[in-house]
Amino acid sequence: MKLEEFLRLNAPEDLASLTSAIAEASVSVWDNIPFKSGLLSEVNPSGEKQKAIDVFSNDLFVEALAATGCVREVASEEMAEPVEGKGAFSVAMDPLDGSSNVESNNPLGSIFGFYSKRLPASGRSLAGALYVTYGSMITLTFSFGKGVHRFVATRDGAKMSFELLSVNLKLPDKPEVYGFGGFRKDWITPVRKFVDSLEERGMRIRYCGTFVGDYNQVLCRGGIFAYPQLLKKPQGKLRVLYETAPMAYINEEAGGYASDGSRDILDITPSTLSEPSPAYIGSAPLVHELERMISSEK
Ligand code: F6P
Ligand code: MN
């Protein structure tokens, strides 16, 4: 089934328009990666002036989202102030997650949260969330509160279109992989102890350095991703509004749990647009176990 048909049958109109706009723009982002990141010649095929790939993706997504008429504001990791519109949704986005991975051709991603309130707002006001992976395939994974669904980009004549890959994705019961960011020596003690126990249980380390890529394999194989509380950086690194709350929303719809170490990430109301928090996300039993270990060491 094609994305447009699925959206027509399963999504509210506004969220369907936003999703289609993101799908189309994501293909342009992917097309432009070698040019805008300086790996190929300065000028891209359309002869436009060079721009850094993260700024390029930001501008492209802002334009595509604004053109739907469905956004009240778009806030982005790449912009100091949100762009205003007259629609119903506040969109928070990380337009190119993991952009330092371009040269090594590791996966990249884009993250979008569709909030029904003015930003900053808590994850409880998310009406939907979506992430794009630019990996061996371009995939869109999203939820509007009724399960997690995934589409893949395929060529349809001269155009790319998105075909259904899976409906109602759920984290597998048996967790297989884990990936934790930052230096091991900087992790708080319960995190170090927990990771040692994962290796004893036979789970494999998988860490590519792009949140979207690392989380995506947790969703496919079961396990846990974290950017933990660090000894000298208690808030960790990942941003609640742009990164962790939208992924926590999808993860919860897939049967998982996401915590900042003491509470559900969806319950955090950030006081600024780019406020970070520690993030532990994936299979519910593992995240609950780590949350208990962290709280008992306090
Ligand atoms: O957005 C920040 C980010 O690029 C994430 O995609 C990724 O999880 C993290 O940084 C990686 O950080 P580090 O290089 O410290 O492992
Ligand atoms: Mn990011």
Side-chain angles (χ1 to χ4, degrees):
M1 184 189 278
K2 294 246 186 271
L3 178 64
E4 286 67 31
E5 190 189 349
F6 181 90
L7 292 172
R8 193 166 45 74
L9 298 171
N10 297 289
E13 210 175 308
D14 279 13
L15 291 173
S17 304
L18 293 168
T19 302
S20 295
I22 291 167
E24 197 178 326
S26 70
V27 174
S28 287
V29 167
W30 183 78
D31 270 343
N32 275 277
I33 291 170
F35 302 99
K36 304 288 183 195
S37 53
L39 295 175
L40 287 184
S41 77
E42 297 287 299
V43 182
N44 74 0
S46 31
E48 294 157 345
K49 212 172 145 251
Q50 186 70 302
K51 244 196 251 179
I53 186 65
D54 16 28
V55 179
F56 173 81
S57 342
N58 180 73
D59 296 356
L60 195 75
F61 282 126
V62 168
E63 214 173 285
L65 291 165
T68 63
C70 303
V71 293
R72 174 169 27 183
E73 57 183 332
V74 182
S76 159
E77 250 196 49
E78 294 294 328
M79 302 188 297
E81 297 294 329
V83 170
E84 301 283 324
K86 291 198 165 64
F89 284 102
S90 299
V91 182
M93 67 172 178
D94 180 355
L96 200 64
D97 179 50
S99 51
S100 63
N101 270 334
V102 167
E103 271 184 45
S104 56
N105 198 17
N106 269 18
L108 305 175
S110 304
I111 308 172
F112 302 85
F114 308 118
Y115 293 85
S116 54
K117 291 202 179 136
R118 279 261 173 205
L119 302 176
S122 100
R124 296 289 172 206
S125 50
L126 280 163
L130 179 158
Y131 67 85
V132 184
T133 60
Y134 313 91
S136 50
M137 300 170 275
I138 306 178
T139 59
L140 303 183
T141 304
F142 58 82
S143 177
F144 307 129
K146 287 190 182 146
V148 179
H149 316 298
R150 175 170 291 158
F151 283 77
V152 60
T154 59
R155 209 160 267 294
D156 183 4
K159 243 185 109 229
M160 294 295 259
S161 72
F162 285 82
E163 282 289 340
L164 183 61
L165 261 188
S166 348
V167 281
N168 286 322
L169 278 164
K170 293 285 174 205
L171 286 145
D173 286 338
K174 185 176 172 300
E176 280 184 14
V177 296
Y178 74 93
F180 279 53
F183 290 108
R184 197 171 272 254
K185 68 175 174 45
D186 298 334
W187 295 347
I188 53 171
T189 312
V191 168
R192 256 191 290 142
K193 283 192 193 152
F194 178 75
V195 168
D196 289 345
S197 83
L198 294 182
E199 304 221 333
E200 283 157 18
R201 298 177 219 188
M203 285 175 63
R204 287 168 193 284
I205 187 165
R206 282 287 185 278
Y207 191 76
C208 76
T210 294
F211 177 33
V212 167
D214 283 315
Y215 173 72
N216 191 56
Q217 60 189 338
V218 166
L219 178 53
C220 294
R221 301 180 63 181
I224 179 168
F225 169 83
Y227 206 102
Q229 176 183 349
L230 304 178
L231 293 171
K232 292 198 186 122
K233 220 175 170 189
Q235 292 312 107
K237 180 177 189 188
L238 300 180
R239 260 99 5 153
V240 178
L241 211 61
Y242 303 128
E243 296 178 302
T244 57
M247 300 300 264
Y249 179 90
I250 291 172
N251 184 63
E252 184 180 90
E253 280 290 321
Y257 177 55
S259 169
D260 71 349
S262 62
R263 61 187 160 162
D264 193 320
I265 284 181
L266 295 173
D267 287 326
I268 303 174
T269 305
S271 45
T272 62
L273 292 172
S274 54
E275 187 173 296
S277 90
Y280 311 93
I281 176 166
S283 303
L286 288 175
V287 179
H288 282 299
E289 183 186 334
L290 177 53
E291 194 181 54
R292 280 193 301 274
M293 286 173 73
I294 293 172
S295 66
S296 69
E297 293 238 359
K298 271 184 184 147

